[in-house]
């Protein structure tokens, strides 16, 4: 995933074993997903639920997905909240 081709948008990290996911937003989605996985591998992720799930199910059960690509940052909060609540 070259960062030069990065996107503004909404992403999720999915636990394939449980179907549960972590939803986030970023101005550089690809880079942010990689950062999440780096923190998870190092057992340093600030979201303890996600970290515990990673520790329990293992790296092979997680995938990062880009959900929405936006042209600007104006609507990121609204779109992210719709994913979380919906």
């Amino acid at each position: 995933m070259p960062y030069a081709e990065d996107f503004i948008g909404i992403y999720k990290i999915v636990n394939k074993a449980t179907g549960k996911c972590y939803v986030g937003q970023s101005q550089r989605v690809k880079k942010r997903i990689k950062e999440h996985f780096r923190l998870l591998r190092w057992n340093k992720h600030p979201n303890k639920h996600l970290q515990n799930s990673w520790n329990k199910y293992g790296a092979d059960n997680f995938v990062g997905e880009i959900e929405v690509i936006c042209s600007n940052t104006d609507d990121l909060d609204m779109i992210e909240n719709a994913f979380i609540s919906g």
Side-chain angles (χ1 to χ4, degrees):
M1 278 191 226
Y3 296 145
E5 300 174 19
D6 217 336
F7 309 100
I8 299 168
I10 307 297
Y11 63 90
K12 65 181 179 181
I13 298 172
V14 180
N15 179 334
K16 297 183 292 185
T18 66
K20 293 184 178 183
C21 65
Y22 173 99
V23 176
Q25 63 172 282
S26 179
Q27 294 182 32
R28 298 186 74 190
V29 172
K30 288 182 180 180
K31 184 177 181 182
R32 184 65 182 126
I33 291 171
K34 282 188 176 266
E35 176 71 6
H36 279 292
F37 282 101
R38 184 180 64 80
L39 291 169
L40 289 164
R41 281 191 306 275
W42 290 356
N43 200 33
K44 302 275 186 190
H45 200 280
N47 184 298
K48 295 303 175 194
H49 294 291
L50 181 58
Q51 186 68 62
N52 290 338
S53 185
W54 173 277
N55 294 345
K56 180 176 181 177
Y57 293 99
D60 290 342
N61 280 304
F62 287 83
V63 62
E65 300 174 352
I66 298 172
E67 289 297 306
V68 177
I69 296 173
C70 301
S71 57
N72 60 58
T73 60
D74 295 342
D75 297 325
L76 281 177
D77 288 336
M78 179 188 66
I79 296 168
E80 180 184 26
N81 286 333
F83 267 94
I84 292 170
S85 64

